Amino acid sequence: MKKIYMDHSATTRTDNDVATFMVKYMTETYGNPSSVHSFGREARKAVDEAREKVAQAIGAQPDEIIFTSGGTEADNLAVRGVAYANRKRGNHIITSSIEHHAVLDTCKSLEREGFEVTYLPVDEYGMVRTEDLKNAITDRTILVSIMHANNEVGTIQPIKEIGAIARGKGIPLHSDTVQSIGKIPVDVNELNIDLLAISAHKFYGPKGIGCLYMRKGVRMLPVTFGGSQERKRRPGTLNVPGIAGLGLAIEKAAVSVGEQAPYQARLRDRMIKGIMEKIDYVKLNGHPAERLPNNVNLSFQFIEGESLLLSLDMKGVAASSGSACTSGSLDPSHVLLAMGLSHEIAHGSLRLTLGKENTEEEADYVIEVLPEIVKRLRAMSPLYAGRVQADKHQSEECCSNV
Ligand SMILES: *Cc1c(COP(=O)(O)O)cnc(C)c1O
């Protein structure tokens, strides 16, 4: 059976060039970049080059890049580091209710330490309203943290406006750009971003490496201690192979985004249209237009997303329900609930996220197998039978009245 991977928002296959490039920094150029000898200097050179590539990809300066173990650590460092450094000025943080748990749970832990957090609501499409942000800002606000693109439903936030509002009040904006990097253009100056989180494995780089961009002048305290690496902002021996891989992956992503974004958007729209035409009681989750080019998120009424996932897996298709982190738990996605979906509809959600290796044939295969699966699962649902009967009855009544 052919296996089809459509879970690229969970992770991606490491690009072959990237993997090959990384091996060199394990077996040949293996020095510690903090060492003064030639082995160390060669490793340092690789780190410097990667730092420049990352900076260039987002319109930053190389010394504004802090390498971390990935997106989660970068989000933690941004939120916690800025909160601690600005404690004397205020204790209020503004974020949104649809953030990744790396931001949400960090905010919750800060609440236990005396910080106050406002979780902005979102509209039915998962979009933050800029009016709500304006109204939430107080003179005690020290950080705004709003993600660029949502990992579950793909909605892209009005980050440029959000950044302008925050900057107007002298408040730094952190944005989790883990899902947007490599899929849509991200430029820190264009978007008024002061801090952002990057994770290499979301754009064909290796897992366990990422970085935090921090604009010069932003006040931040480190949250880990033990060495002077990354100018003490993130101590620990640098992950040289990972950093080299991140550099190459982001460089390749910047080159291919112009071609990949429209390609994947075409597949995405084909799938959304194809599936919605063939199956009834389906809802598209997320914004219809302001949406990541690779994100398909649909709710199928009367069935569980988890059962859909298992059935798709048996057909060789890898997808996800909600986010990878929440699947396995029975709680419905906090993102879908924040968008106002009922528990029942939120439970029936399926996320298919495309990547550069997906083809039109694969999209068509999913469009073909999904209706059978949905039909079979719904056949076991008394609610579905009841609803179909009721709707049929209603439409007959309505027509006979005309
Ligand atoms: C994957 C993801 C993260 C976490 O990144 P890791 O490198 O896996 O720790 C954070 N935020 C978003 C939006 C993500 O999709």
Side-chain angles (χ1 to χ4, degrees), residues 8-11 68-75 98-103 147-152 176-180 183 197-202 206-211 323-325 351:
H8 290 86
S9 285
T11 196
T68 65
S69 64
T72 301
E73 190 194 338
D75 279 332
I98 56 149
E99 296 297 307
H100 188 273
H101 280 111
V103 167
M147 71 197 319
H148 191 193
N150 183 265
N151 46 302
E152 293 189 33
D176 178 334
T177 55
V178 170
Q179 289 293 341
S180 53
K183 301 196 187 89
I198 292 180
S199 173
H201 75 98
K202 301 293 174 80
K207 294 166 186 62
I209 186 70
C211 69
S323 76
C325 324
R351 181 186 75 174

Side-chain angles (χ1 to χ4, degrees), residues 98 122 126-128 146-149 155-160 162:
I98 56 149
V122 291
M127 194 83 89
V128 167
I146 308 280
M147 71 197 319
H148 191 193
T155 300
I156 300 165
Q157 303 297 333
I159 282 298
K160 185 178 176 155
I162 288 170

Side-chain angles (χ1 to χ4, degrees), residues 294-368:
N294 76 328
N295 179 290
V296 176
N297 189 315
L298 298 160
S299 276
F300 298 84
Q301 237 180 305
F302 314 110
I303 48 184
E304 299 276 328
E306 295 293 310
S307 340
L308 259 181
L309 270 194
L310 293 176
S311 304
L312 274 173
D313 188 38
M314 285 194 283
K315 295 272 183 194
V317 181
S320 151
S321 68
S323 76
C325 324
T326 52
S327 58
S329 91
L330 286 174
D331 294 332
S333 140
H334 69 284
V335 175
L336 296 177
L337 294 184
M339 287 160 57
L341 267 69
S342 67
H343 276 244
E344 193 224 322
I345 308 255
H347 267 307
S349 82
L350 176 74
R351 181 186 75 174
L352 296 147
T353 42
L354 300 159
K356 62 180 178 182
E357 286 167 357
N358 287 131
T359 62
E360 201 167 283
E361 291 71 50
E362 291 178 334
D364 288 345
Y365 177 77
V366 175
I367 297 170
E368 187 192 312

Side-chain angles (χ1 to χ4, degrees), residues 92-143:
H92 182 228
I93 296 165
I94 300 173
T95 186
S96 83
S97 48
I98 56 149
E99 296 297 307
H100 188 273
H101 280 111
V103 167
L104 275 185
D105 292 356
T106 303
C107 285
K108 285 192 187 128
S109 88
L110 286 171
E111 280 184 286
R112 291 191 286 272
E113 293 175 33
F115 286 90
E116 279 172 27
V117 182
T118 301
Y119 300 89
L120 296 179
V122 291
D123 67 14
E124 61 182 307
Y125 301 120
M127 194 83 89
V128 167
R129 298 178 199 86
T130 49
E131 267 319 297
D132 288 342
L133 171 63
K134 283 182 198 158
N135 294 335
I137 293 174
T138 72
D139 9 315
R140 306 276 298 155
T141 310
I142 50 172
L143 175 68

